[in-house]
Amino acid sequence: MIGEMTVRIGLIGKTNTGKTTFWNSATLQQGEISNYPFTTKTPNIGTAFSVAPCVCREMNVKDNPINSKCIDGFRYIPIELVDLPGLIVGASEGKGLGNQFLSVASQSDALIHVVDASGSIDEDGRIADPGTGDPIKDFEEIEGELVAWYVKIIENNRDKIVKALKGNNAVDAISAPLKGMRIKESDVQRALEASNLDGQSFDSWPSSDLWRFAGSLREVSKPTLILANKMDLPGATKNYKRIRDAHPDLIVVPASAEAELALRKAEQSGLIAYNPTDETFHILNEKALSQAQRDALQLIQRMVLREFMRTGVQFALNVAVFKLLRMNVVYPVSDIEKLSDKHNHILPDAFLLPTGATVKDLAEQIHTDLAKGLLYATDARTKLRLPANYVIKDRDILSIVSARRKQS
Ligand SMILES: Nc1nc2c(ncn2[C@@H]2O[C@H](COP(=O)(O)OP(=O)(O)OP(=O)(O)O)[C@@H](O)[C@H]2O)c(=O)[nH]1
Ligand SMILES: [Mg+2]
């Protein structure tokens, strides 16, 4: 079910870092990849998956998923993945292509900031000799552009905010023009507190306060991980460690998007069996491989999978969904004995709901009618009745009982 509530992850970063390569490997689509700066001209939007162990094995049933997939006991739950045009310094002032698409980035729930850990792009994002570029500097510059853009949005809405401040509290007044950016009131509240501006009149903030607030708001509203990409190139390991040391407060995931793409392609053409949640692949048809393919697979095995255990693509998506956004997986059913819907589909749906979400929130996500007449939910494991304000746990299997409409 891809809709309003679907979790959306955005790929940002300097041009040429491998965003589209990552996106292609995760969505199996064909965005244009090249080693020229600014290859991606408009955002690519596609479906990727977050993967978690399914409850089917624990409950000992064979499931028939509808809104998701179940492969080898793992549930693949769809999320939206957005690939953005590359950014460079000055983007917030309109340099490059990125500026006009920062609004698309801002509609994500979380961001994956891709850097070239091998240091093989120069300051302007042109391909250079590995080791000559600096991914830490790249990361910090792009982050600076993002904050500058937030400052600009708030500045552009200054009159509206000041007007709204007359009848409302600061959180409501500041949040209103930011609604389209998936920024919640609680984000604004947290950012005001983090920047020591809670209770300070917005009207009289000096520019330094505005920047501090924008920085906090960027941090709390769009949780972000750093993807240290191109780990298959020389020098990348050193930079990966440098990035981790420079940003101990952020999760850094080492990756090779190119290796993931090669493996997914080889899998699609039936050459290998590869499961992205797995850490290895095996060759299905040795004879069909060309020498070049054989060499490439060996290189991937040696350089990427053995050293880092994984290519990092699926892992990064899971970290974004389950660690940054703290999502839980919940399985709504209609019949708690059979664990099925009305049409006998066993464990048909898996939904992602943020930590703290209640039975009421789940009912709303399924159908507004269901939420309106909501009475209670029943837990399939304990058969207990749970009230509307029960806080959902990860892997809960629940049946919603509503006076208005029974769950289909
Ligand atoms: N060695 C190596 N090269 C990579 C990897 N990921 C991407 N590349 C290469 O880096 C170059 C840029 O890749 P893209 O995916 O087009 O980069 P992008 O970030 O989308 O670039 P823009 O659209 O211009 O912002 C291409 O030549 C890719 O083949 C990787 O993991 N390892
Ligand atoms: Mg691109």
Side-chain angles (χ1 to χ4, degrees):
M1 191 187 70
I2 292 286
E4 189 63 27
M5 292 308 295
T6 307
V7 171
R8 191 180 298 157
I9 309 289
L11 292 162
I12 59 162
K14 195 167 263 196
T15 176
N16 251 334
T17 51
K19 297 177 295 300
T20 303
T21 308
F22 182 109
W23 186 83
N24 283 357
S25 73
T27 64
L28 297 178
Q29 297 202 47
Q30 270 125 31
E32 190 186 348
I33 296 173
S34 89
N35 58 4
Y36 292 104
F38 307 116
T39 304
T40 305
K41 305 277 193 300
T42 56
N44 293 309
I45 302 179
T47 301
F49 296 90
S50 54
V51 185
C54 183
V55 292
C56 65
R57 295 217 167 143
E58 178 204 333
M59 305 308 287
N60 208 8
V61 291
K62 169 82 195 78
D63 51 2
N64 322 98
I66 298 199
N67 86 332
S68 42
K69 299 188 277 194
C70 185
I71 304 172
D72 295 332
F74 284 91
R75 204 39 100 100
Y76 287 64
I77 306 155
I79 55 174
E80 260 174 31
L81 186 64
V82 184
D83 169 34
L84 289 144
L87 294 163
I88 47 164
V89 179
S92 61
E93 249 86 65
K95 208 171 158 207
L97 291 167
N99 168 53
Q100 48 191 313
F101 302 113
L102 280 173
S103 60
V104 180
S106 76
Q107 283 153 20
S108 308
D109 298 301
L111 298 171
I112 294 177
H113 189 147
V114 184
V115 297
D116 179 339
S118 71
S120 56
I121 52 171
D122 70 13
E123 238 172 309
D124 297 317
R126 282 184 297 258
I127 298 287
D129 291 333
T132 57
D134 183 355
I136 296 179
K137 191 157 167 266
D138 289 345
F139 171 78
E140 284 166 2
E141 282 172 357
I142 299 307
E143 284 296 318
E145 292 301 324
L146 227 64
V147 174
W149 185 77
Y150 268 59
V151 166
K152 218 162 147 183
I153 298 286
I154 298 169
E155 277 296 356
N156 290 346
N157 285 288
R158 174 171 282 279
D159 293 349
K160 252 192 229 160
I161 295 172
V162 170
K163 215 167 135 207
L165 272 172
K166 299 215 165 74
N168 294 295
N169 65 37
V171 172
D172 289 344
I174 298 171
S175 305
L178 306 177
K179 283 268 155 64
M181 296 164 65
R182 289 201 181 189
I183 292 179
K184 299 186 289 293
E185 274 137 15
S186 55
D187 295 332
V188 171
Q189 178 65 46
R190 277 171 62 205
L192 284 170
E193 283 163 14
S195 52
N196 285 324
L197 289 163
D198 202 12
Q200 304 280 324
S201 162
F202 173 80
D203 263 359
S204 55
W205 287 1
S207 147
S208 59
D209 282 354
L210 177 59
W211 278 82
R212 217 172 57 245
F213 172 72
S216 297
L217 189 62
R218 181 263 169 276
E219 250 179 70
V220 300
S221 66
K222 307 293 163 193
T224 300
L225 67 83
I226 302 179
L227 188 94
N229 194 30
K230 308 198 188 179
M231 289 305 292
D232 54 288
L233 291 178
T237 305
K238 192 171 125 230
N239 273 326
Y240 162 57
K241 291 185 180 137
R242 282 182 59 228
I243 299 166
R244 267 195 335 202
D245 291 345
H247 292 281
D249 48 336
L250 290 171
I251 300 176
V252 187
V253 176
S256 172
E258 195 154 87
E260 175 75 5
L261 188 58
L263 290 174
R264 299 297 290 263
K265 279 187 177 158
E267 183 202 23
Q268 277 187 309
S269 52
L271 296 174
I272 62 164
Y274 174 65
N275 184 329
T277 57
D278 224 1
E279 286 157 5
T280 51
F281 60 86
H282 61 267
I283 292 169
L284 291 174
N285 189 349
E286 185 79 46
K287 288 201 198 84
L289 292 176
S290 69
Q291 190 57 43
Q293 281 169 331
R294 204 165 293 144
D295 291 348
L297 288 174
Q298 256 168 25
L299 189 75
I300 288 167
Q301 187 75 282
R302 202 172 62 239
M303 295 285 297
V304 185
L305 295 179
R306 222 161 267 162
E307 190 167 356
F308 301 103
M309 308 298 283
R310 43 171 85 94
T311 70
V313 169
Q314 186 57 56
F315 184 68
L317 292 171
N318 283 351
V319 167
V321 170
F322 298 115
K323 292 261 188 295
L324 296 181
L325 295 171
R326 300 169 65 224
M327 291 287 168
N328 289 326
V329 185
V330 55
Y331 299 79
V333 296
S334 147
D335 183 324
I336 56 162
E337 298 302 330
K338 288 196 281 186
L339 306 183
S340 69
D341 65 7
K342 290 266 173 55
H343 312 284
N344 253 327
H345 299 117
I346 314 286
L347 298 170
D349 295 333
F351 286 153
L352 294 169
L353 285 182
T355 301
T358 60
V359 161
K360 177 111 206 257
D361 296 323
L362 172 64
E364 256 153 24
Q365 179 140 346
I366 299 171
H367 200 288
T368 41
D369 265 2
L370 197 67
K372 274 184 201 140
L374 176 64
L375 298 173
Y376 56 87
T378 316
D379 184 314
R381 289 190 187 85
T382 60
K383 321 293 182 216
L384 285 174
R385 276 193 185 189
L386 306 169
N389 66 356
Y390 166 83
V391 176
I392 287 171
K393 294 192 310 297
D394 191 35
R395 298 168 62 80
D396 268 350
I397 308 169
L398 303 175
S399 166
I400 302 264
V401 180
S402 166
R404 279 281 187 105
R405 188 188 125 126
K406 197 114 168 51
Q407 191 184 332
S408 59

